[in-house]
Amino acid sequence: TMTLERAMAPLMTIGGFCNLAIFEYPLGQPRTYISCLYGLAKWSLLIYFCYYPDYIDRLQKRKTIYFIDMVVLLTVILILISICRFKELKMCLRELAIVDQTLESLGTPNEYQILRDWIIRIIIGWIVYSFSGLIYYIIVVWSSDKVTTYRILNVIYMCYPMIVIILSTLTSATILGLVLYICVHLICKSFLLTLCVQMFTERNT
């Protein structure tokens, strides 16, 4: 049977590779140390070999700092917050699952499969958007220059922080939409239940 955790699993898996969530294998058993080591190794290499030299080079040339230069720092902060709050997120999802099971017992249909399908569509859209952005920079921005492997890698690591931020936004929007969906159904069920009780009370009196 489809559960809320299984429905959210694709988004959490992609988030794990982008360091926005903790890997779980099997489902429900977080691998905290592996996730932290993976994130630490990846971002240490990216910052040391890519972002820091590029940042210093641009700072020496322009003598000023723009917002785009702070995207990497914002991404690292976002990742740290996501990892630290992951346990609370899982608890929130479990509580939502309990509320949803209560609504299901009251007659609300289980729509986890629809949620999973929408999450897969969101992931596909995110991947298409990311690759289209990379292709745009490679073809349009550098159309007059020779495209080399170094330039392609340069585009990838420069766009990567923004891609992570977009994925984090999509994840937050998905969870917020799920909360609103459950709240609306809960309010409707409560209203109908109150109305039925009131009508039954009036008939008896």
Side-chain angles (χ1 to χ4, degrees):
T1 58
M2 182 65 67
T3 62
L4 182 58
E5 279 191 318
R6 289 187 179 276
M8 296 288 294
L11 197 59
M12 293 300 173
T13 302
I14 297 294
F17 282 105
C18 293
N19 306 117
L20 294 172
I22 294 177
F23 289 115
E24 291 185 333
Y25 185 81
L27 187 65
Q29 295 186 11
R31 306 296 178 179
T32 307
Y33 293 110
I34 295 176
S35 301
C36 291
L37 287 175
Y38 165 70
L40 183 63
K42 184 176 74 174
W43 281 98
S44 297
L45 292 173
L46 283 173
I47 291 174
Y48 184 78
F49 289 106
C50 301
Y51 298 122
Y52 181 73
D54 187 68
Y55 173 77
I56 295 298
D57 182 62
R58 284 188 290 177
L59 185 62
Q60 290 176 349
K61 290 180 179 178
R62 296 183 302 191
K63 305 296 182 181
T64 186
I65 298 175
Y66 295 99
F67 176 75
I68 192 66
D69 298 323
M70 304 300 294
V71 172
V72 176
L73 178 61
L74 293 175
T75 306
V76 173
I77 294 174
L78 178 64
I79 287 172
L80 292 175
I81 293 174
S82 299
I83 292 176
C84 293
R85 297 292 183 179
F86 182 76
K87 186 176 181 180
E88 296 178 9
L89 173 62
K90 296 297 291 185
M91 290 177 62
C92 176
L93 291 177
R94 290 192 184 98
E95 291 175 359
L96 286 175
I98 293 172
V99 174
D100 202 38
Q101 288 174 2
T102 304
L103 290 174
E104 188 178 356
S105 64
L106 294 174
T108 303
N110 188 327
E111 298 184 355
Y112 289 151
Q113 186 61 49
I114 297 176
L115 174 63
R116 184 183 177 89
D117 294 340
W118 271 106
I119 287 175
I120 292 174
R121 293 189 187 103
I122 289 172
I123 292 173
I124 293 173
W126 171 74
I127 293 173
V128 170
Y129 174 82
S130 302
F131 275 99
S132 62
L134 295 175
I135 293 171
Y136 170 79
Y137 274 100
I138 292 172
I139 295 178
V140 178
V141 177
W142 286 336
S143 58
S144 59
D145 299 330
K146 183 179 179 181
V147 177
T148 61
T149 304
Y150 172 77
R151 287 185 179 274
I152 294 175
L153 292 176
N154 185 51
V155 170
I156 291 174
Y157 82 74
M158 289 304 297
C159 294
Y160 182 68
M162 190 59 67
I163 292 172
V164 173
I165 291 175
I166 292 172
L167 179 62
S168 175
T169 304
L170 291 174
T171 304
S172 301
T174 301
I175 295 173
L176 181 60
L178 178 63
V179 171
L180 291 176
Y181 173 81
I182 293 177
C183 286
V184 168
H185 275 75
L186 185 61
I187 292 172
C188 292
K189 290 293 182 181
S190 300
F191 175 76
L192 291 175
L193 184 61
T194 304
L195 186 62
C196 291
V197 170
Q198 187 176 1
M199 291 175 61
F200 181 77
T201 305
E202 289 177 355
R203 284 185 179 181
N204 289 337
T205 56

